[in-house]
Amino acid sequence: PLTFILTGILLTSSYWMALPLCCLYLLMLLGNCTLLWTIKTDRSLHTPMYCFLSMLAVADLGLSLSTLPTMLAIFWFNSTSLCFEACVVQMYFIHSFSAIESGVLVAMAFDRFIAICYPLHYASVLTNSLIMKAGGAIFMRGICVVLPVAILIKKMPFCRSRVLSHSFCLHQDMLRLVCGDKKFNSLYGLTAVILTKGLDSVTILLSYVVIIRAISSIVSQEARAKAFSTCISHLCAVLIFYIPLIGLSITHRFGKHLPPLTHTLLADAYLLVPPVLNPLVYSWKTKQVRRRILILLCRR
């Protein structure tokens, strides 16, 4: 059976990296599960902003848990081989949850846009029905857009080296090992990225252009600072997600001369950093979440 050899950090550093990685996964699980539980148990947090935050936490959990099996297999059991079908499944879930997270960030940008530019219409625009439809559309887009990528890569012949560059399966990394005609596969992969993360990043940028113009028109300096402070958490989440993603895409396209460790660290940062930092950012910057978590901890 066709199998791939996963490498990543295993061949570029020593086994002491296993402990920090395990700590990151535990922190990710604890942070996102605590955030979801806090929002669910506190009725004052049942608002559109925190509904989208719950979706972001679910996407972060899915993204991290997609890489967890192979990471644990490599560092705990020294098992670097992975069958082709399992690799395709892992690749599908990684890219699907990544597209879902990007879509959730767009929904959160729309939430901030309505809250700052049209505050009087906030409750009438962002209804529960609209939030459910938006959440369903975001998840369906992530599932459907990435599905052809998995189907196309499954039909490709692999006759070169079967050694992957990471501790998990990514489409760009698998496509590099294809020995047949991969133009259509590569073109669709690029199209899928443009239709998801490309459009999402442009939408977020345009929404913040309008938000900044609306904030700058506010006369009171205190009111301007308060309005902008409601966007800081979301801006941090956007930067945490898109900076490693852009760096990884650039290195895959133009950084072939760079050392393998650079590609490995960027891929790990792209998949591990956002799920770990997002709960910390929102817990630190959002008073309601921070207060609720402190109350729960004190009761314990």
Side-chain angles (χ1 to χ4, degrees):
L2 178 61
T3 58
F4 289 106
I5 305 300
L6 304 174
T7 56
I9 293 178
L10 183 64
L11 297 183
T12 54
S13 22
S14 57
Y15 286 99
W16 60 265
M17 286 296 297
L19 182 59
L21 282 172
C22 289
C23 291
L24 281 176
Y25 275 110
L26 289 174
L27 186 61
M28 176 277 302
L29 289 170
L30 180 63
N32 285 286
C33 290
T34 302
L35 193 61
L36 286 170
W37 187 55
T38 302
I39 294 172
K40 181 181 179 181
T41 55
D42 192 345
R43 286 191 166 274
S44 65
L45 301 180
H46 293 180
T47 61
M49 174 182 172
Y50 294 105
C51 288
F52 291 131
L53 182 55
S54 299
M55 295 180 196
L56 184 66
V58 171
D60 282 335
L61 284 170
L63 192 60
S64 293
L65 293 176
S66 299
T67 63
L68 182 62
T70 52
M71 293 287 251
L72 291 182
I74 289 173
F75 290 109
W76 283 4
F77 307 107
N78 198 25
S79 175
T80 59
S81 61
L82 187 67
C83 70
F84 176 65
E85 288 77 12
C87 196
V88 171
V89 170
Q90 185 184 50
M91 179 209 70
Y92 172 72
F93 280 111
I94 288 174
H95 291 293
S96 291
F97 279 111
S98 178
I100 290 169
E101 180 159 352
S102 179
V104 173
L105 290 173
V106 173
M108 297 175 81
F110 179 71
D111 171 80
R112 292 299 86 203
F113 167 74
I114 298 297
I116 292 174
C117 299
Y118 303 98
L120 298 179
H121 302 283
Y122 183 79
S124 59
V125 173
L126 290 175
T127 60
N128 291 334
S129 175
L130 180 63
I131 293 170
M132 290 179 63
K133 290 177 182 177
I138 290 168
F139 276 83
M140 287 302 299
R141 186 193 68 161
I143 292 169
C144 296
V145 170
V146 182
L147 185 59
V149 174
I151 295 173
L152 289 171
I153 199 76
K154 201 172 186 305
K155 296 179 179 180
M156 301 303 292
F158 293 86
C159 53
R160 296 180 186 173
S161 168
R162 296 172 186 176
V163 179
L164 296 175
S165 305
H166 307 294
S167 305
F168 34 79
C169 300
L170 294 177
H171 179 251
Q172 309 96 308
D173 203 16
M174 294 177 67
L175 200 61
R176 179 177 56 85
L177 305 181
V178 171
C179 62
D181 184 9
K182 55 185 178 182
K183 288 182 180 178
F184 183 74
N185 204 316
S186 179
L187 181 62
Y188 182 81
L190 180 62
T191 303
V193 172
I194 293 173
L195 290 176
T196 53
K197 303 178 184 72
L199 287 177
D200 292 347
S201 59
V202 172
T203 304
I204 292 171
L205 179 62
L206 291 176
S207 66
Y208 268 99
V209 169
V210 179
I211 288 172
I212 290 172
R213 289 183 60 184
I215 291 175
S216 62
S217 65
I218 299 175
V219 178
S220 171
Q221 186 174 355
E222 183 180 352
R224 281 203 303 267
K226 186 176 180 180
F228 185 73
S229 66
T230 63
C231 301
I232 291 178
S233 298
H234 179 252
L235 280 172
C236 290
V238 169
L239 294 176
I240 289 168
F241 179 77
Y242 278 103
I243 288 177
L245 172 62
I246 293 170
L248 181 62
S249 300
I250 291 173
T251 53
H252 266 294
R253 298 281 175 184
F254 309 107
K256 293 185 172 129
H257 62 284
L258 295 173
L261 182 60
T262 304
H263 296 263
T264 301
L265 292 178
L266 280 173
D268 290 340
Y270 161 56
L271 294 175
L272 293 178
V273 171
V276 171
L277 292 186
N278 282 338
L280 298 177
V281 168
Y282 275 94
S283 299
W284 172 55
K285 290 301 299 178
T286 309
K287 291 181 180 179
Q288 295 95 320
V289 174
R290 187 170 67 246
R291 184 175 64 248
R292 180 63 178 172
I293 292 175
L294 288 174
I295 291 171
L296 292 172
L297 290 175
C298 291
R299 287 179 179 176
R300 293 269 176 185

